[in-house]
Amino acid sequence: MLRPTVRPEDAEPVRIAGLDKFTGPTTVRGINLALDTDGLQVNALTFDEGVRSRPHAHDFDQVLLFTQGPGVIAVGDGPDQLVEAGSFVMLPAHVPHMHGAPEGGRAAHISLMPKGHTNFFDCAIPDEWRRWRED
């Protein structure tokens, strides 16, 4: 049965993402699965203090809506930026980035992307980001 509304905390976790893609345990809830939508991948991610995605890129733009925060992002060769809860972020296709929680606090966001996109965790990254790929 189609569910017309879903709260992130009510969607079943599709996985607790591992250290290959994140620097610590990260809960990923498949909102699009709960809503039964085909063309859009919508995930709700919850990050413990200081946990973030490892540097990566996508073949499509990614939009994030931070629901708990502040969160943290880094894009291209740029520094970490704090993102207040309630703020949207657009991460452009083919540009390396990271997202998650800053030291000292938890964060959560909703990720929106086309279904069937590809993640590239082997993309070129600035030297300052190497520690996020190697720990």
Side-chain angles (χ1 to χ4, degrees):
M1 176 178 172
L2 180 63
R3 292 176 64 181
T5 64
V6 174
R7 296 180 335 172
E9 60 271 17
D10 295 337
E12 291 294 318
V14 290
R15 67 185 183 279
I16 306 297
L19 297 179
D20 58 329
K21 296 182 177 150
F22 296 90
T23 62
T26 303
T27 303
V28 180
R29 296 176 185 274
I31 304 302
N32 61 294
L33 299 174
L35 292 173
D36 195 27
T37 182
D38 290 331
L40 188 61
Q41 182 174 333
V42 182
N43 288 320
L45 290 85
T46 305
F47 300 89
D48 285 341
E49 178 180 323
V51 173
R52 63 173 67 192
S53 63
R54 298 206 182 272
H56 64 286
H58 307 283
D59 55 348
F60 286 93
D61 294 343
Q62 179 179 26
V63 173
L64 307 178
L65 168 60
F66 277 85
T67 57
Q68 179 184 351
V72 66
I73 63 162
V75 181
D77 59 358
D80 286 357
Q81 301 174 47
L82 290 179
V83 180
E84 294 300 319
S87 298
F88 286 89
V89 172
M90 202 285 287
L91 301 170
H94 305 288
V95 177
H97 61 271
M98 299 180 282
H99 44 91
E103 296 299 327
R106 294 174 49 95
H109 66 60
I110 307 294
S111 168
L112 300 110
M113 295 192 68
K115 220 168 179 186
H117 71 276
T118 302
N119 298 323
F120 302 101
F121 283 88
D122 60 349
C123 61
I125 59 172
D127 288 339
E128 308 84 74
W129 289 14
R130 295 256 172 244
R131 68 184 176 109
W132 296 108
R133 190 170 270 172
E134 297 169 352
D135 64 357

